Every structure is written in structure tokens, then in C-alpha cells.
Amino acid sequence: MLTDITAARDAALTQIAAAATLDEVALLTTRLAGKKGELAQLKTKLGALETVEEKKAAGQAINEAISTVGDSLDTQREVLSSAALAEQVESERIDLTEFTKRPARGHAHLVTQAWERLEDVFIGLGFQVVEGPEVETDWHNFEALNMGDGHPARGEFDTLFVDHIPPEGNAGETLLRTHTSPVQIRTMLESEPPIYIVAPGRVFRRDTPDATHMPVFHQIECLVIDRGITMADLAGTIEAFTKAFFGAGFNSRLRPSYFPFTEPSAEFDIQRPNGEWIELGGSGMVHPNVLRAGGLDPEEWSGFAFGFGIDRMAKERHGVEDIREMYTNDIRFIEQF
Ligand code: FA5
């Protein structure tokens, strides 16, 4: 009987070792190690044995054989599964060797670069960066900036209105901000002076695109509110900014001008090392009516503000002929900066 068991076990092990696929292993598992498998069947012959000792020894030998065969099936299953996985990986492998040249890395757009550098320079000068909404109320964009209904200066800003009736207010009072100056009002209303902020952002005007105009462009606003601020602080800040941003070889100047929200007002220009002057933006001392709209007492607080076009500045700085080129998304143009 013991010889039969050993022979059956060895035959089973030989078959398992010869199994070449997982399906074959599955078949062998049922046939050999199942409850009704060939080895288990041997137990039916135990009754024919004469002594208890013989029965016990044979029973034990059968159990051991079943266990050995089970282990062998497990091992074979594992061997075949990892081989199958390796085969699948190999068959699904994609040959990428022809793409060994690394793709070119992109970079930020010219205007984004200018925007980020402006923020860095102003942070270096001690300013905080704030943001305001692109969709504004008529009040923040005009009224609070000393441009009441019918003020002729409103005509300077060809405004895009939003088809929206605010919860409080009337149709035609919601618009796309025409400049970053409404952020002055929001900042004064939301924080206590002293205020030293810059507010970069996107602005909108119904301007026909040409070499120096886009209907969507970017401005950066600077606002300072403190005690005893004078025009000299404005001039000094613009000069410090000019040198920090453009370089030590650049100078700045103020020219008398008019904005409803500043009094006195000035255009400011920068001078290239070659002596050429470039207009940059508008500036002035914050008008008392604007301070009041911002909830501040003009007797106690004074301040200056300036603002300029980021796109226009980048255009001048890099000698771009036409501002529209910056938005054609022509990679040959964009790659140059
Ligand atoms: C203003 O928008 C004022 N808010 C600036 C200001 C701020 C004055 C604080 C005083 C105190 P202006 O309309 O001039 O001003 O526009 C400022 C700058 O935006 C211009 O100098 C120019 O650089 C840029 N700009 C104006 N219109 C366009 C346009 N359509 N496309 C590109 N840049 C423009």
C-alpha cells in the first residue's frame, strides 16, 4: 500500500512539473488534490488493510502525499503566473527609443513674465500684492473714483457692460473693469491705513485693436495711504521702481496731467539709457473725494496712486512693434522672450 502511495505521489509530481499552462495546473488540482482526486481515492483501500497500525501508517502517508502534491501545485501555479505576467509585460512593451530627444520646455508668456517680475520688484520695495474682481460695479469703477454719472472722463473708458442686474442696483451698473483703480477703493474699504499695495490684473475696454491697443489688457495699480504723504514720495517711489525694474541706467519724470481720481495728476515717463523717453502710465495724489469714498478722512490721511499697462510696458521694453503680436500665439514670436 505504501509503495502505491509513493508511486501515485511521484506520478502526480511528474505531471505537475510537466504542466505548461495555468489551465493545466487547474485541471491537475481537481484531478490530483481534490476531495475525489486520485490520492484521496486511495483512502477507500484502507479498509482492506489488516492491522490498525497499517491503516494508521497508510492514512498518514496519504495525507502527507496530498500535502506534498498541494505544495507542488501552488509552486507551479506561482511559477506559471509570474511567467505569464512577464510575457504580458513584454508583449505590451512600447518601443520609445525613437523619442529619446527630450521635448522642449515651455516658459511663461512675455506678459506673465513681466507681471511676475513687477510683483517681485514691488514686494522688494515693501509693497503687498492684492487683487480685485474683474467684474465690477459702476460705483467702484467710476463713481467712487470721482467720476459721477455724466462725468466727461467716463468717455475715456469705452466700457463693456455685463448683462446682469445686481441684487441692489440697476441694469447697466455691472461692468468689466476698465482699469485697476477700483482696487484702490476696495482696499481702502477693507483695510486700515497705512496702506502700501500693488494690484496687478486684467482690464477691459471697447478699444479697437491696433499697434498699441488691445480690448483686453493688463494694468498694475500702486496705492500708498499714510500720514503726511506728498508728491515727493510719489516721485521717489516711481524713481526707485524705475531703477529696480528697468536698471540703474534708467530715469523717470512726471508730467502734469489730469485724472479725476488724483489731484494733482501726472503722467510718468521713463528714460532709456540712450536718452529716449517712453510714456508709462498715470499717477497723482489720491483725490480727497476718493479718500472719502474709501471711508478715510482726508484731513488725517493722504496718499498717492499710479497705474500703468503691463502689456504696453513689455512691448516697449522688448521693442515689440505691435502689441497684437503678443496675443497671436505664434510660437516663433513667443519663443523669443
Ligand atoms: C488709467 O487707466 C488710470 N487708472 C491710471 C492711473 C492710476 C492714473 C492711478 C492715476 C492714478 P489710462 O487710461 O491712461 O489710465 O491707462 C493707463 C495705461 O494703460 C496706459 O498708459 C497704457 O499703458 C495702458 N493702456 C490703456 N489702454 C490700453 C489698451 N487698449 N491696450 C493696452 N494698454 C492700454
Side-chain angles (χ1 to χ4, degrees):
M1 175 82 188
L2 287 178
T3 330
D4 287 350
I5 295 168
T6 312
R9 183 198 66 194
D10 291 347
L13 292 178
T14 311
Q15 288 181 63
I16 294 166
T21 65
L22 285 166
D23 285 347
E24 283 179 45
V25 175
L27 274 176
L28 288 174
T29 306
T30 332
R31 225 180 74 206
L32 303 170
K35 280 224 172 87
K36 292 184 182 155
E38 285 172 17
L39 286 162
Q41 289 293 319
L42 287 171
K43 287 184 183 171
T44 55
K45 296 185 182 162
L46 289 177
L49 293 172
E50 280 170 16
T51 67
V52 176
E53 282 73 28
E54 273 178 314
K55 285 181 187 169
K56 217 171 142 188
Q60 204 173 344
I62 292 171
N63 285 338
E64 277 171 17
I66 291 175
S67 157
T68 307
V69 166
D71 288 349
S72 172
L73 283 164
D74 288 347
T75 310
Q76 188 69 354
R77 203 175 296 113
E78 266 171 47
V79 168
L80 290 175
S81 329
S82 43
L85 181 66
E87 197 178 312
Q88 187 189 356
V89 169
E90 181 59 27
S91 72
E92 290 176 6
R93 196 163 67 98
I94 300 169
D95 183 359
L96 294 172
T97 45
E98 67 177 293
F99 300 109
T100 47
K101 236 179 88 187
R102 283 175 66 198
R105 265 188 87 184
H107 62 69
H109 186 268
L110 175 57
V111 172
T112 311
Q113 289 178 37
W115 175 330
E116 288 175 352
R117 229 175 79 72
L118 283 166
E119 284 189 1
D120 287 349
V121 166
F122 277 110
I123 288 169
L125 293 172
F127 287 83
Q128 253 187 303
V129 179
V130 301
E131 272 182 49
E134 293 177 348
V135 180
E136 260 298 3
T137 67
D138 183 278
W139 188 81
H140 288 89
N141 194 80
F142 289 123
E143 193 97 17
L145 289 166
N146 205 29
M147 286 179 279
D149 209 8
H151 193 292
R154 283 186 178 224
E156 304 262 309
F157 302 101
D158 234 335
T159 309
L160 291 152
F161 289 90
V162 174
D163 193 8
H164 159 78
I165 302 175
E168 291 165 33
N170 305 305
E173 288 186 354
T174 309
L175 44 81
L176 297 181
R177 65 178 176 188
T178 58
H179 52 171
T180 42
S181 298
V183 188
Q184 290 187 33
I185 303 297
R186 291 190 176 270
T187 309
M188 284 187 255
L189 290 173
E190 280 161 22
S191 50
E192 294 291 315
I195 292 169
Y196 290 82
I197 59 107
V198 286
R202 196 152 57 145
V203 300
F204 310 82
R205 291 185 197 175
R206 252 169 53 119
D207 284 344
T208 309
D210 65 21
T212 52
H213 293 85
M214 287 296 287
V216 180
F217 60 103
H218 303 83
Q219 288 187 340
I220 185 161
E221 192 84 7
C222 173
L223 175 70
V224 166
I225 307 281
D226 209 335
R227 292 192 169 87
I229 296 291
T230 70
M231 199 82 181
D233 297 306
L234 168 62
T237 304
I238 285 182
E239 181 69 8
F241 158 72
T242 302
K243 298 242 179 316
F245 188 81
F246 294 98
F250 282 74
N251 298 307
S252 65
R253 75 175 175 200
L254 299 181
R255 274 182 297 117
S257 185
Y258 171 77
F259 294 99
F261 30 94
T262 46
E263 179 59 37
S265 303
E267 297 278 342
F268 72 92
D269 307 332
I270 56 161
Q271 188 183 31
R272 286 208 170 105
N274 67 7
E276 185 191 352
W277 285 97
I278 302 163
E279 269 185 39
L280 210 58
S283 69
M285 301 305 292
V286 180
H287 195 289
N289 288 347
V290 175
L291 290 170
R292 279 189 211 101
L296 300 176
D297 178 2
E299 297 299 323
E300 186 179 0
W301 302 103
S302 57
F304 67 75
F306 61 85
F308 57 89
I310 299 177
D311 325 57
R312 194 78 75 77
M313 183 205 68
K315 171 188 175 300
E316 294 298 335
R317 183 146 186 249
H318 296 284
V320 175
E321 290 277 313
D322 191 319
I323 202 167
R324 288 170 294 190
E325 282 203 79
M326 309 208 297
Y327 295 102
T328 52
N329 282 341
D330 184 334
I331 197 75
R332 292 165 302 177
F333 172 83
I334 289 171
E335 268 177 351
Q336 296 175 59
F337 306 98

